Each structure stands twice: as C-alpha cells, then as structure tokens.
Amino acid sequence: MAVLHYHGSCQCGAVDFDVDVDLGHTVVCNCSRCRRLGSVLAFAPREAFTLNSGKDNLTEYQFNKHLIHHLFCKTCGIQSFSFGETPDGKQMVALNVNTLDGVDARSLPSQAFDGASV
C-alpha cells in the first residue's frame, strides 16, 4: 500500500484527528493492553499526525516501562492513538486503525507482535 490521508476520531467525536499513514503494515499486539483493547495498529511519524480537536478531553495511561503515552477520550474511553519514539529516537504515533473513518481494520493484512514478552 501507500501513504494515504485518513480522518479518525473516538466514538463520541470529542477527539478528532487527521493522519497520513501506510496501512499496508498493520500490527496486532498481544501485550496486556492491546490484547484487551483489540487494537489493530499502524505507525506513522509524529509530524504526519494532526489533532484537530479534543486535546483537553484526552487522558493518559502508561504501563510497563512508561515509554508509550496511551491517550484516550475521557468521555467515551476510546484509545485512538498513542505517542512514543522509534528505537532511533524519532517521534511516532501508533494509531488504532479501528478509529479511522472508512477503514475495515480487520480486513487488512496484519503482522503479529509478541508484546507480552517484551
């Protein structure tokens, strides 16, 4: 696939964003958080992401090594994205592809990631 532009939001619409991302390389992680959320993840450089609204409606959860900023809507509880760094220090966003408009996340080819062992 190629990098395309997508719009996304939480369930209630309070958190609204746009992102340019390649959905050809999605990941399904089995860590304690992703497994429970059922997230299908795609990754993009932080500069490819724009939060349109809802900054004040976000709350954060961190666990394990506290390296990833898991952000979710205070109203509906949906985690649309997280912020973190790549191993070489570049800022990135991890997107919950389920929150992108017009995308069937479960129909995309996904690679398994063993986050439970990290």
Side-chain angles (χ1 to χ4, degrees):
M1 295 181 85
V3 174
L4 297 173
H5 184 80
Y6 296 93
H7 176 261
S9 67
C10 63
Q11 184 177 3
C12 72
V15 177
D16 183 274
F17 62 93
D18 285 291
V19 66
D20 297 321
V21 64
D22 181 350
L23 296 182
H25 306 284
T26 60
V27 173
V28 177
C29 176
N30 67 351
C31 77
S32 61
R33 183 156 181 83
C34 291
R35 182 175 46 84
R36 285 173 173 83
L37 289 172
S39 298
V40 176
L41 302 171
F43 301 89
R46 177 65 178 88
E47 61 270 11
F49 176 87
T50 303
L51 181 61
N52 300 321
S53 63
K55 182 178 179 181
D56 293 339
N57 211 54
L58 290 170
T59 193
E60 180 180 33
Y61 176 71
Q62 289 187 307
F63 70 106
N64 196 2
K65 297 177 184 177
H66 299 264
L67 298 175
I68 301 172
H69 303 272
H70 300 274
L71 300 166
F72 58 96
C73 176
K74 292 178 187 178
T75 304
C76 66
I78 298 297
Q79 179 178 315
S80 301
F81 54 88
S82 300
F83 294 133
E85 290 183 358
T86 60
D88 62 357
K90 294 179 183 169
Q91 296 296 308
M92 66 87 176
V93 60
L95 300 149
N96 179 354
V97 179
N98 292 305
T99 64
L100 298 179
D101 294 346
V103 176
D104 180 2
R106 286 166 180 73
S107 71
L108 298 170
S110 293
Q111 185 175 26
F113 177 74
D114 186 12
S117 298
V118 175

Tab-separated table of all heavy atoms in Angstrom, residues 38-59:
chain	number	residue	atom	x	y	z
A	38	GLY	N	-8.188	-4.987	21.647
A	38	GLY	CA	-8.452	-5.486	20.296
A	38	GLY	C	-7.940	-4.545	19.223
A	38	GLY	O	-8.476	-4.490	18.123
A	39	SER	N	-6.891	-3.810	19.549
A	39	SER	CA	-6.352	-2.819	18.618
A	39	SER	C	-5.677	-3.473	17.417
A	39	SER	O	-5.014	-4.490	17.545
A	39	SER	CB	-5.313	-1.932	19.314
A	39	SER	OG	-5.895	-1.218	20.363
A	40	VAL	N	-5.851	-2.832	16.273
A	40	VAL	CA	-5.050	-3.094	15.083
A	40	VAL	C	-4.253	-1.812	14.901
A	40	VAL	O	-4.825	-0.734	14.795
A	40	VAL	CB	-5.930	-3.384	13.848
A	40	VAL	CG1	-5.071	-3.553	12.608
A	40	VAL	CG2	-6.801	-4.618	14.089
A	41	LEU	N	-2.928	-1.915	14.896
A	41	LEU	CA	-2.077	-0.730	14.945
A	41	LEU	C	-1.369	-0.447	13.632
A	41	LEU	O	-0.971	-1.371	12.924
A	41	LEU	CB	-1.021	-0.907	16.041
A	41	LEU	CG	-1.557	-1.150	17.443
A	41	LEU	CD1	-0.420	-1.530	18.381
A	41	LEU	CD2	-2.289	0.074	17.960
A	42	ALA	N	-1.218	0.829	13.344
A	42	ALA	CA	-0.382	1.312	12.244
A	42	ALA	C	0.472	2.433	12.822
A	42	ALA	O	0.051	3.134	13.749
A	42	ALA	CB	-1.224	1.807	11.081
A	43	PHE	N	1.651	2.624	12.263
A	43	PHE	CA	2.601	3.591	12.810
A	43	PHE	C	2.954	4.636	11.768
A	43	PHE	O	3.096	4.326	10.590
A	43	PHE	CB	3.854	2.863	13.292
A	43	PHE	CG	3.546	1.850	14.351
A	43	PHE	CD1	3.211	0.547	14.006
A	43	PHE	CD2	3.553	2.191	15.688
A	43	PHE	CE1	2.901	-0.391	14.970
A	43	PHE	CE2	3.243	1.269	16.669
A	43	PHE	CZ	2.915	-0.033	16.310
A	44	ALA	N	3.086	5.874	12.232
A	44	ALA	CA	3.420	6.992	11.348
A	44	ALA	C	4.333	7.951	12.091
A	44	ALA	O	4.316	8.017	13.330
A	44	ALA	CB	2.146	7.721	10.908
A	45	PRO	N	5.117	8.719	11.352
A	45	PRO	CA	5.912	9.772	12.008
A	45	PRO	C	4.973	10.761	12.705
A	45	PRO	O	3.870	11.030	12.232
A	45	PRO	CB	6.639	10.455	10.842
A	45	PRO	CG	6.564	9.505	9.706
A	45	PRO	CD	5.328	8.694	9.904
A	46	ARG	N	5.407	11.285	13.835
A	46	ARG	CA	4.570	12.206	14.615
A	46	ARG	C	4.129	13.409	13.785
A	46	ARG	O	3.006	13.887	13.926
A	46	ARG	CB	5.362	12.657	15.858
A	46	ARG	CG	4.664	13.672	16.727
A	46	ARG	CD	3.404	13.113	17.356
A	46	ARG	NE	2.776	14.080	18.219
A	46	ARG	CZ	1.886	14.996	17.818
A	46	ARG	NH1	1.566	15.082	16.547
A	46	ARG	NH2	1.342	15.818	18.671
A	47	GLU	N	4.981	13.885	12.871
A	47	GLU	CA	4.631	15.052	12.059
A	47	GLU	C	3.551	14.743	11.012
A	47	GLU	O	2.982	15.666	10.428
A	47	GLU	CB	5.866	15.671	11.400
A	47	GLU	CG	6.605	14.761	10.467
A	47	GLU	CD	7.707	13.941	11.137
A	47	GLU	OE1	7.787	13.904	12.390
A	47	GLU	OE2	8.483	13.328	10.394
A	48	ALA	N	3.223	13.477	10.804
A	48	ALA	CA	2.166	13.108	9.863
A	48	ALA	C	0.788	13.105	10.529
A	48	ALA	O	-0.214	12.822	9.887
A	48	ALA	CB	2.450	11.725	9.259
A	49	PHE	N	0.734	13.441	11.810
A	49	PHE	CA	-0.485	13.388	12.618
A	49	PHE	C	-0.893	14.795	13.041
A	49	PHE	O	-0.063	15.578	13.489
A	49	PHE	CB	-0.234	12.531	13.860
A	49	PHE	CG	-1.374	12.462	14.819
A	49	PHE	CD1	-2.366	11.513	14.660
A	49	PHE	CD2	-1.464	13.340	15.890
A	49	PHE	CE1	-3.412	11.432	15.560
A	49	PHE	CE2	-2.503	13.278	16.784
A	49	PHE	CZ	-3.484	12.318	16.607
A	50	THR	N	-2.192	15.102	12.919
A	50	THR	CA	-2.733	16.380	13.379
A	50	THR	C	-3.936	16.125	14.272
A	50	THR	O	-4.921	15.517	13.832
A	50	THR	CB	-3.166	17.263	12.189
A	50	THR	OG1	-2.053	17.468	11.328
A	50	THR	CG2	-3.697	18.598	12.669
A	51	LEU	N	-3.861	16.568	15.512
A	51	LEU	CA	-5.003	16.515	16.413
A	51	LEU	C	-5.848	17.754	16.140
A	51	LEU	O	-5.417	18.873	16.397
A	51	LEU	CB	-4.538	16.478	17.872
A	51	LEU	CG	-5.635	16.390	18.915
A	51	LEU	CD1	-6.461	15.111	18.755
A	51	LEU	CD2	-5.014	16.451	20.313
A	52	ASN	N	-7.041	17.559	15.578
A	52	ASN	CA	-7.921	18.674	15.219
A	52	ASN	C	-8.674	19.228	16.418
A	52	ASN	O	-8.893	20.433	16.516
A	52	ASN	CB	-8.924	18.237	14.151
A	52	ASN	CG	-8.241	17.779	12.888
A	52	ASN	OD1	-7.250	18.355	12.460
A	52	ASN	ND2	-8.758	16.711	12.298
A	53	SER	N	-9.108	18.344	17.288
A	53	SER	CA	-9.843	18.780	18.477
A	53	SER	C	-9.789	17.688	19.536
A	53	SER	O	-9.553	16.526	19.230
A	53	SER	CB	-11.305	19.107	18.137
A	53	SER	OG	-11.978	17.957	17.680
A	54	GLY	N	-10.004	18.096	20.771
A	54	GLY	CA	-10.095	17.150	21.867
A	54	GLY	C	-8.880	17.045	22.765
A	54	GLY	O	-8.847	16.184	23.642
A	55	LYS	N	-7.896	17.902	22.596
A	55	LYS	CA	-6.694	17.826	23.430
A	55	LYS	C	-7.051	17.837	24.915
A	55	LYS	O	-6.495	17.074	25.707
A	55	LYS	CB	-5.741	18.971	23.101
A	55	LYS	CG	-4.462	18.939	23.894
A	55	LYS	CD	-3.525	20.059	23.513
A	55	LYS	CE	-2.262	19.988	24.351
A	55	LYS	NZ	-1.331	21.070	24.043
A	56	ASP	N	-7.982	18.697	25.296
A	56	ASP	CA	-8.388	18.799	26.696
A	56	ASP	C	-9.267	17.630	27.136
A	56	ASP	O	-9.549	17.496	28.331
A	56	ASP	CB	-9.127	20.111	26.947
A	56	ASP	CG	-8.223	21.319	26.799
A	56	ASP	OD1	-6.986	21.165	26.896
A	56	ASP	OD2	-8.745	22.418	26.558
A	57	ASN	N	-9.704	16.804	26.196
A	57	ASN	CA	-10.552	15.666	26.521
A	57	ASN	C	-9.758	14.356	26.570
A	57	ASN	O	-10.337	13.293	26.704
A	57	ASN	CB	-11.704	15.548	25.512
A	57	ASN	CG	-12.935	14.969	26.142
A	57	ASN	OD1	-13.406	15.470	27.161
A	57	ASN	ND2	-13.465	13.903	25.561
A	58	LEU	N	-8.442	14.455	26.454
A	58	LEU	CA	-7.589	13.273	26.493
A	58	LEU	C	-7.033	13.050	27.889
A	58	LEU	O	-6.720	14.007	28.604
A	58	LEU	CB	-6.420	13.417	25.517
A	58	LEU	CG	-6.769	13.358	24.045
A	58	LEU	CD1	-5.568	13.755	23.197
A	58	LEU	CD2	-7.251	11.956	23.665
A	59	THR	N	-6.914	11.806	28.257
A	59	THR	CA	-6.218	11.427	29.481
A	59	THR	C	-5.216	10.345	29.114
A	59	THR	O	-5.353	9.690	28.082
A	59	THR	CB	-7.194	10.984	30.583
A	59	THR	OG1	-6.505	10.916	31.823
A	59	THR	CG2	-7.856	9.667	30.259
